[in-house]
Amino acid sequence: MVFTPDTDVTLRHAAALANTGPALGEERREELPDLAALLAWMDRWEWTGRRPTSEAEVDAVRRLRPRLREIWALDEDGKVEAANALLEQGRALPRLVRHGDVGWHVHATRDDAPLAQRISVEVGMALVDVIRADETERLKVCAGEDCEDLLVDLSKNRSRKFCDGTCGTRANVAAYRARKSRDTATG
Ligand SMILES: [Zn+2]
Ligand SMILES: [Zn+2]
């Protein structure tokens, strides 16, 4: 394991959240179209605490996505600044908690704070871990053609290049075909 389990989840959640919206220059992608979609999203990621009740809150969560893309693209100094800003703006106040079958971990906002604020502060806290461990290079953008999805490389040798989508499979198929046609050409 590279980070603690809560940091792992927070980073993967942040990447997945950014990927529910359109990338720069992409026409449209909206996987969080309404409140129902956001509530389903919360269940999928096992969010506890207060649940959003208004479209305004959905909008606030959607607005985090370009910010996350920005953060992923920043260099280390930029990420440091972003982490500090997220923690300050979200008025982070870390405390240890445990709930359900999740062991001791940190919450740094009140459980009844708006979801967008809780997400920002969680990302800020996770960035602290990433930066302290000198692992900022693990926050990557998919190397797939025409794919700008964010990903978190949690592999042992930091070798992951492609998102969870079809890009990895497609790259494998392309490599296989290239190898095969080379073999045919020489053989
Ligand atoms: Zn928790
Ligand atoms: Zn991809």
Side-chain angles (χ1 to χ4, degrees):
M1 193 179 295
V2 184
F3 304 111
T4 56
D6 52 333
T7 294
D8 267 22
V9 172
T10 301
L11 294 173
R12 286 191 292 111
H13 172 259
L17 178 64
N19 296 341
T20 64
L24 214 69
E26 194 179 40
E27 287 249 324
R28 61 170 164 209
R29 164 161 38 157
E30 189 46 80
E31 289 163 23
L32 292 177
D34 50 29
L35 184 58
L38 182 61
L39 293 176
W41 176 263
M42 285 185 80
D43 291 339
R44 189 168 345 138
W45 286 90
E46 298 177 350
W47 274 95
T48 56
R50 188 186 151 275
R51 296 169 80 73
T53 53
S54 69
E55 290 296 328
E57 282 179 275
V58 184
D59 211 43
V61 172
R62 282 197 288 248
R63 280 201 306 269
L64 290 177
R65 300 181 304 196
R67 178 84 183 111
L68 290 168
R69 285 190 180 277
E70 240 173 67
I71 290 172
W72 245 244
L74 292 168
D75 62 8
E76 190 181 68
D77 287 353
K79 285 188 173 74
V80 168
E81 250 175 69
N84 287 341
L86 288 170
L87 295 175
E88 191 185 335
Q89 287 155 13
R91 300 200 170 79
L93 187 62
R95 66 183 194 284
L96 282 160
V97 296
R98 65 178 168 189
H99 51 76
D101 48 12
V102 188
W104 290 114
H105 60 287
V106 178
H107 283 189
T109 43
R110 289 179 11 199
D111 293 342
D112 60 355
L115 183 60
Q117 183 186 345
R118 290 162 63 202
I119 295 174
S120 326
V121 167
E122 280 218 337
V123 171
M125 295 292 293
L127 283 174
V128 167
D129 275 5
V130 171
I131 292 161
R132 290 171 71 206
D134 196 15
E135 296 282 7
T136 52
E137 277 158 33
R138 290 185 182 272
L139 306 185
K140 300 180 175 177
V141 176
C142 176
E145 225 175 296
D146 300 326
C147 181
E148 299 284 316
D149 277 11
L150 303 189
L151 67 95
V152 185
D153 180 359
L154 295 171
S155 68
K156 235 182 192 153
N157 50 2
R158 300 178 183 78
S159 59
R160 195 169 155 206
K161 285 201 183 88
F162 301 105
C163 68
D164 286 328
T166 49
C167 294
T169 326
R170 210 183 292 152
N172 283 340
V173 170
Y176 172 78
R177 289 217 180 104
R179 214 159 43 233
K180 224 175 161 191
S181 71
R182 208 165 46 232
D183 289 353
T184 324
T186 52

